[in-house]
Amino acid sequence: MKRAALFACVWLTVMLGGCTFGQAESQVATTESTGGGTVRVWIAGEQFPLKAFQAFTEATGIAVQPQFGDERDFVRQVLQHKGQPQADLFWSDNALDLAVLAGRGAFEAYRSPHAAKIPSTAKDSDGLWYGLTERRLALLYKPAKLSDDKVPKTLDQLEQFAHKGKIGVPAPSSSLWTSAGAAIVPVQGEFGMQSFFSGLKEWNVYFAKEDPPGAALVLEEKVPLLLSTSEQALRHMSKQRKDAKHTKDAALRIQPLVADNGEPLNVTTGIGILRGTEKKKEAEQFIDFMLREQNRSDLATARMHEALASTGPASRLHPDEMVQLSPLIAHYLAVSFPDAP
């Protein structure tokens, strides 16, 4: 596979430059081994139930030691320890980072027998990583403050709204912007993408400190509308159902965002075996188990993500192509938001 190493380096500079190295804040819980050893899995994002891991251990005897933490911290550590990894597998919350790391030689190739069920846009053609679930780009809002009929549904409608009303958005360094740009190119071409990002300077925005932005910005009424991912709202809704003090005024709603051709704007999560691991066979068994269709569906439910379909949209860009777009998008964002944090 041809890889744009230069673009990968530029993207990592944009994403990681200026940040100090630190150990990811994490929560660790290990399943009980039955004599088959242990695999260590770095997982970007919040902790979720370990039923799938327990099922893997019961089926193989291999214990799973998951470590949850921040995507950027994990990416730094993968690169710092490339070839001598501190974990056996890395589960990223954005396949864009997997494509970058694959281009930097961070992963071991493995041809899984379950790969045929994964769409071509959600896996590496050389077997360096595989997609597992999808996160949905969405708009979060309180119906008590913003009526349903005024909430945008497409990127074009979002642009029109942002010229009039305030909107919470991720920081320019967030890869969610690349996902948005990647959805525009197949429909409107590079000129359409340039027009979209150049127009951001006219938006009335509030930059979130979290990536993806948390629902608190809407709940605390700092913004009436927030560009984030659907699991952020779903987690809040789950907590609301358990809260006896829940009120109608605190209700939160999700409007999934689609491209102008009607296709959903999803961010693929995925996993790869870290190059140099001494547990390659165990890691391969873990990949095979998690790629089974029912297990992928269960993982999506546990993480409040979307299930990864067997066939992806024909017009969706592969993460390798997104990597090549990333420096251009970073440039447009720097021009539109020169004073952004």
Side-chain angles (χ1 to χ4, degrees):
M1 173 185 292
K2 294 181 179 179
R3 301 197 178 279
L6 173 60
F7 288 113
C9 290
V10 173
W11 175 241
L12 283 170
T13 299
V14 171
M15 290 295 293
L16 306 179
C19 299
T20 58
F21 176 82
Q23 179 71 26
E25 295 181 4
S26 58
Q27 300 167 324
V28 179
T30 306
T31 60
E32 291 290 333
S33 172
T34 57
T38 302
V39 289
R40 300 160 298 168
V41 188
W42 281 350
I43 305 172
E46 295 188 13
Q47 186 171 17
F48 59 93
L50 305 178
K51 292 181 180 179
F53 298 162
Q54 293 166 354
F56 170 75
T57 299
E58 290 171 2
T60 65
I62 302 170
V64 181
Q65 182 180 352
Q67 183 170 334
F68 297 83
D70 178 75
E71 175 86 7
R72 295 187 190 182
D73 282 347
F74 280 142
V75 169
R76 291 190 202 96
Q77 292 182 60
V78 167
L79 289 173
Q80 181 179 11
H81 300 287
K82 186 174 63 176
Q84 296 180 316
Q86 306 300 297
D88 305 304
L89 302 107
F90 174 45
W91 184 351
S92 167
D93 68 5
N94 194 323
L96 176 64
D97 286 331
L98 293 174
V100 171
L101 292 172
R104 297 287 298 273
F107 296 127
E108 295 268 7
Y110 172 57
R111 301 284 186 178
S112 172
H114 301 281
K117 292 286 185 75
I118 308 297
S120 60
T121 54
K123 63 186 175 186
D124 180 80
S125 63
D126 294 329
L128 294 172
W129 60 267
Y130 294 97
L132 290 175
T133 67
E134 291 195 326
R135 301 159 61 216
R136 189 75 181 268
L137 263 68
L139 298 171
L140 281 53
Y141 66 101
K142 289 172 66 174
K145 297 297 179 181
L146 189 65
S147 61
D148 294 344
D149 61 327
K150 293 183 179 179
V151 178
K153 296 177 176 60
T154 68
L155 286 174
D156 183 60
Q157 293 173 6
L158 177 62
E159 186 173 7
Q160 296 176 34
F161 178 94
H163 288 162
K164 302 175 184 177
K166 195 170 189 178
I167 177 172
V169 298
S173 59
S174 171
S175 58
L176 294 184
W177 288 113
T178 302
S179 299
I184 297 172
V185 171
V187 182
Q188 301 179 30
E190 188 176 312
F191 179 79
M193 183 187 71
Q194 179 182 1
S195 177
F196 172 81
F197 284 106
S198 296
L200 292 177
K201 62 172 67 75
E202 305 298 331
W203 288 28
N204 183 7
V205 300
Y206 180 98
F207 289 107
K209 295 180 180 179
E210 297 177 297
D211 185 21
L217 289 179
V218 173
L219 296 171
E220 296 170 3
E221 298 182 10
K222 292 183 179 180
V223 294
L225 192 67
L226 177 67
L227 175 61
S228 187
T229 53
S230 59
E231 77 266 15
Q232 296 297 315
L234 290 171
R235 290 192 188 106
H236 170 75
M237 292 174 179
S238 178
K239 293 177 182 178
Q240 276 188 330
R241 285 193 291 268
K242 302 174 184 178
D243 187 357
K245 298 180 181 180
H246 168 62
T247 64
K248 183 178 180 181
D249 186 61
L252 191 67
R253 285 189 184 169
I254 307 168
Q255 174 57 59
L257 199 59
V258 300
D260 292 337
N261 63 353
E263 291 184 356
L265 299 184
N266 290 346
V267 179
T268 300
T269 79
I271 193 166
I273 300 172
L274 293 173
R275 182 168 62 84
T277 175
E278 297 178 354
K279 302 288 186 68
K280 189 171 188 294
K281 293 299 181 183
E282 292 90 339
E284 290 173 354
Q285 291 183 64
F286 187 84
I287 291 278
D288 288 341
F289 188 86
M290 295 303 158
L291 287 186
R292 294 175 185 172
E293 193 167 2
Q294 184 58 55
N295 291 338
R296 287 190 283 109
S297 177
D298 292 344
L299 286 171
T301 300
R303 299 204 75 177
M304 299 184 183
H305 292 177
E306 301 283 329
L308 186 64
S310 296
T311 56
S315 63
R316 182 176 295 183
L317 295 184
H318 190 277
D320 286 345
E321 297 172 293
M322 294 184 190
V323 170
Q324 297 184 44
L325 286 177
S326 296
L328 191 58
I329 292 174
H331 169 71
Y332 293 149
L333 289 167
V335 172
S336 292
F337 300 136
D339 300 322

